Amino acid sequence: MDSRIGKNAKGYAEPIKDKPGSFRLYFSLGKDPSTGKYRRSKKRTFHCRSKNPKNWPAEYRKALDLYKMELEDINEMPNSAQTLAEYATDFHTLRKTVLKSPPLAFERESGYIKHIKEMFGDTPLTSLRLDDVKRAYSLALENGMSEAELYGTHVKLRQILNDAVANELLDRNPCNAIKLPKPIYKEREALSAEEASRFLHCLMDEPPSSKITGALILLLCGLRRGEMLGLVWDDYDPINKTLRICRQYSNDKVPRAPKSKMSNRTIAISAQLSQYLDSWKKIQEKELALAGYIQNGDTPIVHSLKALHRNNKDSMVSIAGNLDGHNFDRWFRNFCVDNDFGSYSVIKKEFTKNGKKHIRGTEYSGLVPHALRHTQATLLIGEGADIKTVQARLGHASPSTTLSIYSHAIESKDREAAEAFDSLVS
């Protein structure tokens, strides 16, 4: 089909039945001069990000504009000749440009797209069959691909082919007939209760700072690093001693919604952490005032002062912004090395400060920020907290996620329960 688009081509957003906010986008391309039949571009599925119907027209019009630009710049090949690799690439690109996929998720999915290209090469999209997929999967495993990596690739391929079905390029998705077992999560590294207590004391022995506060929140609340970096003072309720998690600050330095619906949550905090936050808020307020900044409800709890030019002159003004995640990780590694929770294989510098020896280097091994999240969950389960409570506190999408990740801790409690019952009836 000749899909070249004229300047007066009309775009359409066709609502998808029973899927509010989802549309199929296409353009009317006018009559085919040779056949006299009306032509249209291939349909493209689009999902609005906003839950408010009033915002949908603006979103799908923008998507139509982007689609029109593609059609103006590229003479599409016939659908029957489009390869799976090409369709997968287009699908992935749209995830970033139109659907605004989070950067970490987009980077992870890039690996799956690469696998799909390697596995299926120039296979035409419309000629893909169930046996083709099975043979490709079998060969990938023989060539050393892990079962976990294959599972992730399969999930992504199924998503891509479902999109092709929605765009009326395929009658059915061959991946739907393949059931791969979910990968078994490796046991997560976590601190023991004694190690967690020592880590807490090491933090409390340091002068209050943004980074110390961030590490305390990770340890005592089990938040993801991005959730901790996204906290502002309006999220802290000192009366009820709670923290509201409603955003995350990602590596692309753009505040965004939490990872999932369940990740948007309010959790209780201990009296110890509440007391520390009350104290830190006063310290931060004075620190920011010295830099000419007034603390308010939108000020990040874990902040970073950034110097900006004022009115393009030589004078400078400081603003309180979110702390960069990479900077926090760098500090965290150094803190762990200083307190025997990690080490550097290559030592670059050694110095003594306040009577304490410090080492800086590269090739780090040891505790990482995410391990504090696992520490929270493992110790809670060890103390008998029920799975639903742990799931809600961590913000997992479902209890099955919590059960899968922390099966080792649950099995340990199951053993204790068996022995405890045995002692009761013996």
Side-chain angles (χ1 to χ4, degrees), residues 62-310:
K62 183 178 179 181
L64 279 169
D65 289 341
L66 290 171
Y67 190 15
K68 185 175 182 180
M69 289 172 60
E70 291 180 34
L71 293 174
E72 288 173 339
D73 293 340
I74 302 172
N75 287 332
E76 296 179 326
M77 64 180 63
N79 290 337
S80 60
Q82 188 175 26
T83 67
L84 173 56
E86 290 165 340
Y87 192 85
T89 300
D90 290 343
F91 176 90
H92 190 52
T93 301
L94 283 172
R95 294 274 291 175
K96 182 176 183 180
T97 58
V98 178
L99 299 182
K100 305 297 183 184
S101 179
L104 290 179
F106 184 81
E107 182 179 346
R108 180 179 64 252
E109 291 170 0
S110 295
Y112 298 144
I113 298 297
K114 181 181 178 182
H115 290 325
I116 290 170
K117 291 180 179 180
E118 293 171 347
M119 292 163 69
F120 297 98
D122 296 328
T123 302
L125 175 65
T126 55
S127 69
L128 187 68
R129 298 293 179 265
L130 176 61
D131 285 346
D132 298 329
V133 180
K134 289 180 178 179
R135 279 192 291 268
Y137 286 2
S138 178
L139 186 60
L141 290 173
E142 290 177 8
N143 290 334
M145 182 181 289
S146 69
E147 292 184 0
E149 193 71 6
L150 178 61
Y151 180 83
T153 303
H154 170 68
V155 170
K156 179 53 56 179
L157 178 60
R158 185 175 60 200
Q159 185 181 24
I160 291 169
L161 296 182
N162 278 336
D163 186 75
V165 172
N167 284 324
E168 301 178 358
L169 300 177
L170 294 176
D171 292 329
R172 61 181 62 86
N173 184 348
C175 282
N176 289 340
I178 299 176
K179 305 297 181 184
L180 295 183
K182 283 189 177 181
I184 299 174
Y185 288 93
K186 293 181 179 179
E187 183 173 328
R188 304 299 179 100
E189 293 183 4
L191 298 176
S192 65
E194 293 76 16
E195 291 170 330
S197 176
R198 186 171 78 82
F199 189 81
L200 175 61
H201 281 89
C202 289
L203 290 171
M204 298 299 289
D205 286 343
E206 294 288 327
S209 69
S210 269
K211 297 183 179 76
I212 292 293
T213 302
L216 275 171
I217 292 172
L218 292 182
L219 176 65
L220 299 177
C221 298
L223 269 59
R224 301 176 178 92
R225 187 197 66 177
E227 294 173 342
M228 173 272 290
L229 294 174
L231 290 171
V232 299
W233 284 113
D234 274 347
D235 297 326
Y236 169 52
D237 183 345
I239 297 176
N240 294 309
K241 294 183 176 57
T242 61
L243 275 178
R244 178 184 60 193
I245 296 90
C246 57
R247 74 188 64 79
Q248 59 177 326
Y249 188 69
S250 305
N251 285 341
D252 63 347
K253 303 179 183 179
V254 176
R256 62 180 73 251
K259 187 175 180 180
S260 67
K261 183 178 180 180
M262 284 298 296
S263 295
N264 199 321
R265 63 202 188 277
T266 298
I267 63 170
I269 63 174
S270 66
Q272 179 184 26
L273 180 57
S274 180
Q275 184 178 2
Y276 186 93
L277 288 177
D278 291 339
S279 175
W280 166 239
K281 187 175 184 180
K282 295 177 182 178
I283 295 171
Q284 186 197 64
E285 182 179 19
K286 294 179 180 178
E287 181 180 325
L288 296 180
L290 290 174
Y293 184 88
I294 299 176
Q295 184 191 68
N296 56 46
D298 291 328
T299 302
I301 294 176
V302 180
H303 79 283
S304 173
L305 279 176
K306 303 173 183 179
L308 298 177
H309 286 282
R310 179 182 291 170

Side-chain angles (χ1 to χ4, degrees), residues 1-12 26-43 71 75-76:
M1 180 185 74
D2 182 2
S3 58
R4 287 173 294 184
I5 188 168
K7 292 182 179 180
N8 298 322
K10 187 174 181 180
Y12 295 89
Y26 66 93
F27 281 87
S28 171
L29 304 176
K31 284 186 178 182
D32 188 315
S34 59
T35 65
K37 294 182 179 180
Y38 282 97
R39 302 169 301 155
R40 73 177 184 191
S41 67
K42 68 178 182 180
K43 291 186 177 181
L71 293 174
N75 287 332
E76 296 179 326

Side-chain angles (χ1 to χ4, degrees), residues 337-349:
V337 171
D338 292 343
N339 293 280
D340 298 323
F341 286 96
S343 61
Y344 290 119
S345 297
V346 178
I347 298 175
K348 299 287 187 178
K349 182 171 65 173

Side-chain angles (χ1 to χ4, degrees), residues 10-24:
K10 187 174 181 180
Y12 295 89
E14 181 183 90
I16 299 177
K17 188 178 179 181
D18 299 328
K19 291 186 178 181
S22 296
F23 300 85
R24 288 196 177 94

